[in-house]
Amino acid sequence: MNIKDLPEESLFTPGHTACAGCAAPAIVRNMMKIFGKDTIVYTPANCLLVFSGTYPHLAWKVPYLHEAFENTAACLSGIARAYKKKGKKVIAVGFAGDGGTYDIGIQALSGAAERNEDVIYVCYDNEAYMNTGIQRSGATPYGADTTTTPAGRKILGKLEHKKDMAEIMRAHEVPYVATMSISHQKDFIEKTKKAKEISGFRYLHVLSPCPTGWRFDPSKSIEMARKAVESGMWTLYEAEYGEITNIYKPKKKIPVEEYIKGQGRFRHLTPEMIKALQDWVDRKWKKLYGELPQ
């Protein structure tokens, strides 16, 4: 299935107030076309809630709710069990950001995964707490300039590397884990479709470039997503019950420096810091592909 084969009707409507170039609306709109009308959506506090879920200006054409920041997976569990008790078949989907997944929501997420709840959890990862002022999260890459890791005289951005959340979820040995990118649409659609067809706990992790927080031209969101994959800063794979079953290897590997070029959050990086980031990518690459990058 290609993107042109998706249904015309959008269950996530235009008119929301996302920033220009934000990747999240495209992620949600295309996923919802695949999940369909029999879907109930939950979002915690995140950009998506702010620009599409503020009553009475809702962008959703399916039942939609939100509660607290930390309990996406717990609320999804309750929704799925309640409808099962009623004998109704629905898809319970949560869209959480990286802050609500890597940091604040990981406890509920891990619990739901361990219980193998019949839900789909989507992390759209824009690598910081963007809607509250671009604070660092566990997903923020090494060296990135954020409002809580400001690049200046004392520190040069975030000093820790990004947490590997997809690998943490793979370690739970749930039915399905997939990492995705909006730059690779066919792969994106096939993984979403597969997640819909599988029962049990499913975790989808999508890189969501943020022009505001990453400080790049809003017209380059897809280009940024593609360069993330081609540089190895973002890897695409599927895992079923803890085993990797499909992995995408870029035909052309570009240096990390080419990916971070044009992003204001990395403008201050020294040659030593760029090398540290490249070394981190190379270690990750070798771990996944079993060989050093070409």
Side-chain angles (χ1 to χ4, degrees):
M1 176 183 282
N2 292 306
I3 197 161
K4 65 181 181 181
D5 301 319
L6 294 178
E8 286 290 328
E9 183 183 9
S10 179
L11 301 174
F12 184 78
T13 64
H16 53 73
T17 56
C19 301
C22 175
I27 291 169
V28 172
R29 182 173 60 251
N30 290 324
M31 281 190 172
M32 288 304 300
K33 286 188 175 186
I34 296 170
F35 292 148
K37 292 181 178 179
D38 293 329
T39 301
I40 295 178
V41 170
Y42 176 90
T43 63
N46 56 29
C47 293
L48 180 62
L49 167 65
V50 173
F51 69 71
S52 73
T54 306
Y55 183 82
H57 305 293
L58 301 178
W60 300 90
K61 293 176 72 175
V62 297
Y64 166 88
L65 72 155
H66 67 89
E67 289 287 342
F69 208 159
E70 72 280 8
N71 60 8
T72 302
C75 288
L76 283 180
S77 302
I79 292 167
R81 290 190 179 209
Y83 275 89
K84 184 178 180 181
K85 186 78 173 176
K86 287 176 171 289
K88 295 184 178 179
K89 187 172 178 59
V90 301
I91 303 175
V93 179
F95 289 99
D98 48 284
T101 302
Y102 283 70
D103 304 330
I104 295 173
I106 191 170
Q107 180 185 27
L109 174 59
S110 178
E114 187 270 333
R115 297 191 304 273
N116 194 27
E117 300 285 351
D118 190 17
V119 302
I120 299 176
Y121 188 107
V122 182
C123 174
Y124 77 95
D125 183 355
N126 55 23
E127 300 190 328
Y129 292 82
M130 297 305 184
N131 72 306
T132 53
I134 317 175
Q135 298 92 355
R136 62 92 83 187
S137 77
T140 305
Y142 168 78
D145 177 25
T146 73
T147 53
T148 48
T149 57
R153 292 182 179 178
K154 292 188 176 181
I155 61 170
L156 289 174
K158 188 186 175 191
L159 302 179
E160 302 82 22
H161 286 289
K162 177 170 183 157
K163 187 193 299 183
D164 199 334
M165 194 65 210
E167 283 295 275
I168 292 173
M169 295 313 299
R170 186 162 77 89
H172 285 72
E173 300 183 358
V174 294
Y176 192 60
V177 171
T179 55
M180 305 154 74
S181 171
I182 55 169
S183 60
H184 293 65
Q185 294 178 355
K186 186 172 175 35
D187 179 82
F188 178 98
I189 290 169
E190 289 176 350
K191 287 173 177 174
T192 304
K193 190 169 179 289
K194 190 170 183 178
K196 179 183 178 182
E197 294 168 350
I198 292 174
S199 298
F201 195 88
R202 292 143 283 172
Y203 178 80
L204 305 180
H205 196 150
V206 193
L207 184 65
S208 181
C210 173
T212 305
W214 298 13
R215 304 205 295 280
F216 64 80
D217 186 322
S219 68
K220 298 185 180 299
S221 295
I222 302 298
E223 179 182 325
M224 286 298 167
R226 183 175 295 109
K227 284 185 175 179
V229 174
E230 291 176 347
S231 66
M233 284 288 286
W234 187 254
T235 48
L236 302 176
Y237 63 86
E238 293 174 285
E240 297 177 45
Y241 297 98
E243 296 293 329
I244 293 180
T245 53
N246 181 35
I247 187 166
Y248 174 82
K249 185 176 182 180
K251 292 179 182 176
K252 175 188 174 185
K253 185 175 187 302
I254 64 173
V256 164
E257 189 169 8
E258 188 171 333
Y259 166 62
I260 64 176
K261 186 171 57 181
Q263 296 184 41
R265 60 179 178 160
F266 294 120
R267 191 173 299 153
H268 58 282
L269 259 60
T270 64
E272 292 75 20
M273 294 180 75
I274 294 174
K275 182 179 183 307
L277 200 53
Q278 182 69 65
D279 288 346
W280 175 79
V281 167
D282 291 349
R283 286 196 301 274
K284 188 160 65 88
W285 183 281
K286 187 177 181 181
K287 181 181 175 183
L288 279 171
Y289 296 115
E291 59 185 16
L292 290 172
Q294 299 299 314

